[in-house]
């Protein structure tokens, strides 16, 4: 779905201009702590980082190898204490991979992992300054998404990395995609002003800014800048974590609440 401004569930897509990559990753670094003001009733206490393929291309490009399967990678955090959510809140983190059949209009496959920090399921607020979230799509030799990896790092607390393989009968090729901060279950989350950060994109291929698109039913009030290709040196990585996504070309954009 096209939209008029990069905000909420709508962001610029990242594209390889049609060339099949081996991987494409989206990293979110929190610069200024993000706190929550409110949720819609359908998404109460849930915050997600979603990395979503272009639904139009998934549905309308069978000539391009599409299987009509929309493969989504999501990191979700449930606020268990001190809602709606701030630096003193604790909760539970999840990494989900969902496959939606756009032709038949149903979810046909899903898998998830619990996110643990220092072996604990009950983790502190993951949107503090210096935190990192990432989601990477890995593509096999057949051109289809073979797995999705995710990671979360909380300063002075520790990090977590996980990966979920996507069965061949439920997968699709990688299409240009956007990454957004949002609610859950078709709901929205409103962040307090003052939070900010940067998305960094990496791949084994050159990356480019695609069009604005809203590839999710969820929403928020986060505002996104355009995507920049001015080199950042050195390329930033969070400490104490096995980050494996190496950038061919440094592509990034800012976000703020």
């Amino acid at each position: 779905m096209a939209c008029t401004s990069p905000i909420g569930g709508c962001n610029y897509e990242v594209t390889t201009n049609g060339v099949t990559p081996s991987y494409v990753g989206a990293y979110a670094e929190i610069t200024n702590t993000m706190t929550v003001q409110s949720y819609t009733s359908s998404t109460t206490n849930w915050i997600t980082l979603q990395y979503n393929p272009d639904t139009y291309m998934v549905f309308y490009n069978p000539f391009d190898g599409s299987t009509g399967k929309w493969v989504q990678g999501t990191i979700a955090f449930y606020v268990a204490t001190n809602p709606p959510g701030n630096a003193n809140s604790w909760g539970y983190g999840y990494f989900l991979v969902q496959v939606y059949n756009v032709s038949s209009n149903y979810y046909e496959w899903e898998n998830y992992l619990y996110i643990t920090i220092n072996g604990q399921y009950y983790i502190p607020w993951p949107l503090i300054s210096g935190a990192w979230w990432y989601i990477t799509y890995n593509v096999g030799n057949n051109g289809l998404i073979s797995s999705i990896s995710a990671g979360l790092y909380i300063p002075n607390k520790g990090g977590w990395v996980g990966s979920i393989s996507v069965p061949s009968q439920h997968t699709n090729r990688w299409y240009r995609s956007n990454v957004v901060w949002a609610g859950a279950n078709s709901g929205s989350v409103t962040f307090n002003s003052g939070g900010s950060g940067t998305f960094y994109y990496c791949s084994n291929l050159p990356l480019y800014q695609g069009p604005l698109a809203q590839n999710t039913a969820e929403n928020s009030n986060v505002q996104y800048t355009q995507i920049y290709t001015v080199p950042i040196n050195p390329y930033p990585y969070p400490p104490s974590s096995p980050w494996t996504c190496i950038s061919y070309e440094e592509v990034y954009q800012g976000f703020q609440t």
Side-chain angles (χ1 to χ4, degrees), residues 25-31 34 46-50 73-79 92-95 115 123-136 149-155 160-161 179-182 191 198-201 238 241 243 255:
Y27 290 63
E29 179 188 21
I30 309 300
T31 304
M34 298 168 65
W46 283 100
I47 301 164
T48 63
L49 177 68
Q50 302 185 26
T74 297
I75 297 176
F77 181 75
Y78 177 76
V79 183
Y92 301 93
Y94 305 86
F95 167 43
I115 294 175
I123 64 177
W125 186 245
L127 288 164
I128 65 170
S129 176
W132 286 76
W133 303 44
Y134 90 81
I135 300 172
T136 296
S149 302
L152 179 65
Y153 170 78
I154 304 176
W160 175 91
V161 174
V179 57
V180 295
W181 294 105
F191 292 94
T198 305
F199 287 135
Y200 299 96
Y201 302 96
S241 295
W243 309 92
F255 57 83

Side-chain angles (χ1 to χ4, degrees), residues 185-206:
N185 302 319
S186 299
S188 180
V189 56
T190 299
F191 292 94
N192 290 307
S193 61
S196 64
T198 305
F199 287 135
Y200 299 96
Y201 302 96
C202 62
S203 177
N204 66 308
L205 296 174

Side-chain angles (χ1 to χ4, degrees), residues 72 74 95-99 109-113 163-165 167:
Q72 175 185 245
T74 297
F95 167 43
L96 301 90
V97 175
Q98 298 170 315
V99 177
W109 185 83
E110 179 181 88
N111 199 358
Y112 68 94
L113 298 173
S163 183
I164 294 177
S165 297

Side-chain angles (χ1 to χ4, degrees), residues 218-232:
E218 290 74 40
N219 211 333
S220 74
N221 66 329
V222 176
Q223 302 175 50
Y224 312 103
T225 67
Q226 69 183 75
I227 294 176
Y228 298 93
T229 57
V230 178
I232 298 175

Side-chain angles (χ1 to χ4, degrees), residues 138-160:
N138 305 299
V139 180
N141 293 331
N142 58 2
L144 303 180
I145 297 167
S146 57
S147 66
I148 301 178
S149 302
L152 179 65
Y153 170 78
I154 304 176
N156 302 316
K157 301 298 181 181
W160 175 91

